[in-house]
Amino acid sequence: MDFTFSEEQQAAAEAARGVFAGVAPDAVPSPALTPGAVADDFDLALWARLAEADLLSLLLDAEYGGAGLDAVALCLVLRESAKVLARVPLLESSAAAAAVQTYGGAELKSDLLARAGRGEVVLTVASSGRTGHDPAELAVTARPDGDRQDVDRQDVDRRDGERRDGDGAGHRSGEAAGWILDGVQTAVPWAHNADFVVVPARTDAYRTVLALVPRLHEGVTVAEQISTTGERLGELRLESVRIAARDVIDAEGAWEWLRELLTTGTCALALGLGRQVLRMTGDYTSKREQFGFPVATFQAVAVQAADRYIDLRAMEATLWQAAWRIGSGAQGALPASGDVAVAKIWASEGVRRIVQTAQHLHGGFGADVDYSLHRYHAWAKHLELSLGPAAAHEEALGDLLAAHPLA
């Protein structure tokens, strides 16, 4: 088997390294010293450079100005971004655009994708639910607007009306009026700056649709929340928000696919952050001396660093397996969600252990706000909380194994 990356994937990673080379991880005030958000907006200059390097359109087809690459390429770029704590909605905007391309209607794709690939339109995704613990699709309800009152029930029994067409537009006769959304989504990244928020919502027919909600829209309010990284999050409140049918994706499996891509991308961020922190730890322990010797030569230090290296390699292997399953659509003994669950287990636990060991081996120097390790620790905690506890993923994996017994 060939586990090497393709030339196109390696070129994307190389381009990312060039763009992120000059980015400082402490370019904004320290979250430890800032009572509010560290900045009002994301790094717009970096966003422009990513657009110029065609790194915002990696997953888009050529007709929309993209490179037509897969989730592996995106994860390679995200890995590089996390090494410098890049403050851009690269994951959210890329994943949302990819979902529109895969499942959206022709009109929506034509209007949105090329602009998103050029960085002119910024997308984000509400994926944390109402509390951060409940499924995101249960936090918002979607009901048909006007003459679409019976469309959901028609979709359940499939005895009346037409089935959804192949491009995922999901429009049937009588559905032109759109949808009405109500509910609350918490901890929405970049909610104050994105042009559209992709919101999963549950219909009364127990289907999940994806609505592209404009940030500035009647019935939409965004309250400020602050993450452990010091970045602004948003509590998105929707009160009888009317969304046109063309801006709602009701194709089956769209939310599950988008959620898995977001999760895998988050694992890639954890991997990039972990690699950089382990490199910082190696550099520091090689220079810091005790009793006339570098502390890196002490067995206790070397064993801890080796354990974290093993964590990093496990995070890497499980990430690329999950990204490959999502990008290729390849079949396996378990659904792709099983590989994503394994990647989440290692990423959530691994990134926490790596930064904890780094703080321990740095001693008091690791808590110095003039040194960037404390920022990596804050970002690692945010990623760990975003991924959720490993025990929950292990339970989900157990359910998958029970439903799909291995031969």
Side-chain angles (χ1 to χ4, degrees):
M1 298 180 66
D2 185 3
F3 293 99
T4 58
F5 299 115
S6 69
E7 291 185 7
E8 293 82 3
Q9 291 165 347
Q10 293 182 60
E14 184 63 31
R17 280 190 286 270
V19 172
F20 295 124
V23 177
D26 52 358
V28 292
S30 169
L33 304 176
T34 308
V38 296
D40 293 331
D41 209 339
F42 57 84
D43 191 336
L44 296 176
L46 177 58
W47 188 251
R49 295 201 297 273
L50 288 168
E52 291 173 2
D54 296 326
L55 292 176
L56 301 182
S57 57
L58 282 177
L59 303 185
L60 301 181
D61 293 337
E63 63 180 301
Y64 306 114
L69 297 181
D70 58 8
V72 174
L74 176 61
C75 287
L76 284 167
V77 174
L78 291 169
R79 183 187 66 181
E80 299 303 318
S81 75
K83 291 179 181 179
V84 296
L85 306 182
R87 303 178 47 261
V88 286
L90 177 60
L91 169 58
E92 295 82 7
S93 197
S94 298
V100 171
Q101 176 175 259
T102 305
Y103 296 98
E107 184 180 359
L108 178 60
K109 290 191 284 190
S110 176
D111 179 61
L112 186 70
L113 292 183
R115 293 190 295 150
R118 295 192 297 267
E120 299 168 1
V121 172
V122 179
L123 308 174
T124 190
V125 184
S127 59
S128 296
R130 185 181 182 90
T131 65
H133 302 287
D134 302 322
E137 64 270 22
L138 302 182
V140 175
T141 60
R143 67 182 189 275
D145 186 7
D147 62 344
R148 295 177 40 165
Q149 294 178 9
D150 297 326
V151 69
D152 279 339
R153 304 197 185 282
Q154 293 171 0
D155 188 61
V156 172
D157 54 36
R158 300 298 180 123
R159 289 177 296 192
D160 299 315
E162 304 173 15
R163 293 181 65 93
R164 288 189 292 268
D165 56 27
D167 68 359
H171 297 168
R172 290 178 289 276
S173 58
E175 287 193 318
W179 297 82
I180 299 177
L181 306 181
D182 289 279
V184 178
Q185 291 277 0
T186 192
V188 180
W190 317 110
H192 295 272
N193 310 108
D195 298 293
F196 293 93
V197 181
V198 177
V199 178
R202 182 60 61 93
T203 73
D204 61 5
Y206 303 104
R207 289 189 300 112
T208 298
V209 299
L210 296 176
L212 273 76
V213 179
R215 175 172 52 87
L216 302 176
H217 195 69
E218 184 177 359
V220 176
T221 56
V222 181
E224 185 178 69
Q225 297 175 315
I226 307 297
S227 75
T228 58
T229 65
E231 300 293 344
R232 296 176 82 194
L233 305 177
E235 182 185 69
L236 183 71
R237 292 187 172 271
L238 308 173
E239 296 183 11
S240 299
V241 175
R242 283 178 161 80
I243 302 296
R246 52 148 273 172
D247 293 328
V248 176
I249 300 171
D250 66 353
E252 185 176 354
W255 168 235
E256 289 76 11
W257 185 88
L258 174 56
R259 181 176 57 197
E260 290 179 357
L261 180 57
L262 285 169
T263 300
T264 304
T266 304
C267 293
L269 293 173
L271 174 63
L273 186 150
R275 290 183 66 168
Q276 181 63 23
V277 167
L278 196 58
R279 182 177 293 109
M280 292 169 63
T281 303
D283 291 342
Y284 177 78
T285 56
S286 297
K287 298 173 183 176
R288 176 78 167 91
E289 291 188 359
Q290 286 186 354
F291 312 111
F293 297 94
V295 296
T297 62
F298 297 169
Q299 186 178 35
V301 173
V303 167
Q304 291 182 70
D307 286 342
R308 301 295 77 83
Y309 177 75
I310 293 172
D311 280 335
L312 207 59
R313 293 306 301 268
M315 291 166 63
E316 198 166 22
T318 54
L319 164 66
W320 300 131
Q321 172 71 10
W324 172 72
R325 286 291 303 277
I326 293 173
S328 67
Q331 298 300 310
L334 294 178
S337 56
D339 293 294
V340 174
V342 174
K344 288 167 73 175
I345 291 168
W346 279 103
S348 177
E349 292 284 286
V351 75
R352 174 179 56 81
R353 288 194 292 256
I354 289 170
V355 295
Q356 285 180 343
T357 298
Q359 288 284 12
H360 176 65
L361 297 182
H362 274 81
F365 192 58
D368 189 343
V369 294
D370 292 326
Y371 183 59
S372 60
L373 181 60
H374 79 286
R375 295 176 181 272
Y376 285 92
H377 200 158
W379 277 65
K381 178 56 66 175
H382 177 74
L383 293 174
E384 180 191 354
L385 294 173
S386 299
L387 290 167
H393 311 323
E394 290 165 353
E395 183 177 353
L397 184 59
D399 292 339
L400 284 173
L401 288 169
H404 302 83
L406 302 179

